[in-house]
Amino acid sequence: MHRRHLTTGLIIAVVAAVSFGVSGPFVKPLLQAGWSPVAAVALRAFIGGILLAPVALVMLRGNLRPLWRSRWRVLGMGSVGVAGAQVFYFSAVQRIPVGTAILLEYLAPLLLVAVAWVMTRRRPAVPVLIGSVVAAGGLVLVVSPADGGPLDFLGLLFGLGAMVCCAVYFVIAAQESDDLPPVALAASGLLVGSLLLTLLGLTGLVPFTASAADVTVLGNVVPWWVPMLVIGVVATAVAYATSITASAMLGSRLASFAGLLEVAAAAAWAWLLLGEQLSTLQLLGGALIVAGIVAVRFDASSEGVSERGSERVVNQRPIQTGGRIPG
């Protein structure tokens, strides 16, 4: 992988992580006002998809045939990467501590390393193994999963489901496509995910409620649509477009490790906007995540070729990926 290309991809991945992380301080007031998580995510995805749609149409030059040719990829992104990840995650947090659910979901990079190891029968390079261990340790310190509460077995399964969906998201996002721009994949995937989440909510299988009451955001009383608009624009439209673009440039493995920065970014935003204190261990965890990403990046750049070659080998095996939302 060309070093300049790699560096650009990592910068875009950092922008994606910071954008995803901003959602916490703005979605929390909505949930406290009576919004159910699935309803909030469905509207968030719809806003993000609608905002990206005109850009996607311009990049497609009005030609929708690439979308049709990539329909299984789009369906996989919407159903697994957006809707599936959210449903599994919020199902998990109803049964196990939030920190544990986040930890399970963001073990997705380790799952990708393990799958590549099994499918290619090649042991990952030493920098990748070291980076995996270091980044996982940093993730544990940042989320502090031992925050009390029973570890319900079904909750753990839901958390593992979120992890699988997160991993599939990065695989789908990183797949090579000559004629489908990343923004078009992001827009269509978000709209499909929003539709599926809405249909799921209408079935009554999951809580699906909203509220038009004013909310308090950063000490100010504002209409409900203000924080939702921030989430839709920054934490969804910008975040998904940059995340999928970075994945296409970096490959699923490195992009998923860079995605761990979202956890650190969320903690940093909570500190800046809400005054929530960051512990020394959380700061150390953030540094370890960065160190793990650097180790994986070193492997990608030292090989002089993109990891996408190995991903093509994996993708040739019978792994069905459709055919997000981290967040």
Side-chain angles (χ1 to χ4, degrees):
M1 181 181 294
H2 195 282
R3 289 180 183 272
R4 182 176 299 176
H5 186 78
L6 185 65
T7 301
T8 302
L10 284 172
I11 292 174
I12 296 174
V14 170
V15 173
V18 172
S19 300
F20 274 125
V22 79
S23 64
F26 294 94
V27 74
K28 187 175 181 179
L30 293 172
L31 299 180
Q32 292 173 337
W35 284 74
S36 67
V38 173
V41 172
L43 183 54
R44 161 190 178 176
F46 178 75
I47 293 173
I50 287 295
L51 290 175
L52 291 176
V55 181
L57 287 174
V58 170
M59 299 189 72
L60 288 168
R61 298 179 180 178
N63 180 15
L64 298 182
R65 285 192 294 271
L67 273 176
W68 176 249
R69 287 194 293 267
S70 301
R71 59 191 179 277
W72 297 119
R73 188 178 175 209
V74 171
L75 181 60
M77 176 60 72
S79 61
V80 180
V82 177
Q86 296 299 317
V87 170
F88 276 116
Y89 172 74
F90 286 119
S91 298
V93 299
Q94 290 178 337
R95 293 175 173 271
I96 60 177
V98 173
T100 304
I102 294 175
L103 175 62
L104 289 173
E105 180 177 9
Y106 281 90
L107 289 178
L110 304 187
L111 177 62
L112 290 175
V113 170
V115 169
W117 190 343
V118 171
M119 302 304 290
T120 63
R121 298 181 182 179
R122 293 175 53 192
R123 179 180 61 82
V126 172
V128 174
L129 294 177
I130 294 176
S132 299
V133 173
V134 171
L139 180 61
V140 171
L141 293 180
V142 171
V143 302
S144 303
D147 55 2
L151 291 181
D152 180 84
F153 178 72
L154 186 57
L156 292 175
L157 289 181
F158 285 142
L160 293 175
M163 175 188 67
V164 172
C165 290
C166 185
V168 171
Y169 163 83
F170 283 109
V171 171
I172 294 175
Q175 287 180 345
E176 292 185 350
S177 177
D178 295 331
D179 53 3
L180 184 66
V183 173
L185 176 60
S188 55
L190 286 169
L191 291 175
V192 169
S194 175
L195 175 61
L196 293 176
L197 287 170
T198 301
L199 293 176
L200 180 64
L202 294 178
T203 64
L205 295 176
V206 295
F208 198 81
T209 58
S211 172
D214 291 346
V215 296
T216 301
V217 179
L218 306 181
N220 299 306
V221 178
V222 298
W224 66 268
W225 53 264
V226 173
M228 180 58 75
L229 191 60
V230 173
I231 297 168
V233 174
V234 179
T236 307
V238 174
Y240 273 91
T242 51
S243 175
I244 293 176
T245 300
S247 297
M249 298 176 70
L250 300 175
S252 61
R253 185 181 67 193
L254 183 52
S256 66
F257 275 93
L260 294 178
L261 288 173
E262 178 189 338
V263 181
W269 280 118
W271 170 60
L272 289 171
L273 299 178
L274 301 180
E276 296 183 4
Q277 296 300 312
L278 291 175
S279 67
T280 302
L281 287 180
Q282 285 180 306
L283 294 174
L284 175 60
L288 289 177
I289 290 175
V290 173
I293 295 171
V294 170
V296 177
R297 179 196 184 282
F298 174 80
D299 173 66
S301 59
S302 64
E303 289 178 353
V305 295
S306 170
E307 69 176 68
R308 306 284 290 273
S310 63
E311 285 181 357
R312 283 193 293 270
V313 175
V314 174
N315 289 335
Q316 288 171 0
R317 303 298 183 95
I319 299 179
Q320 299 300 322
T321 57
R324 216 163 177 199
I325 170 174

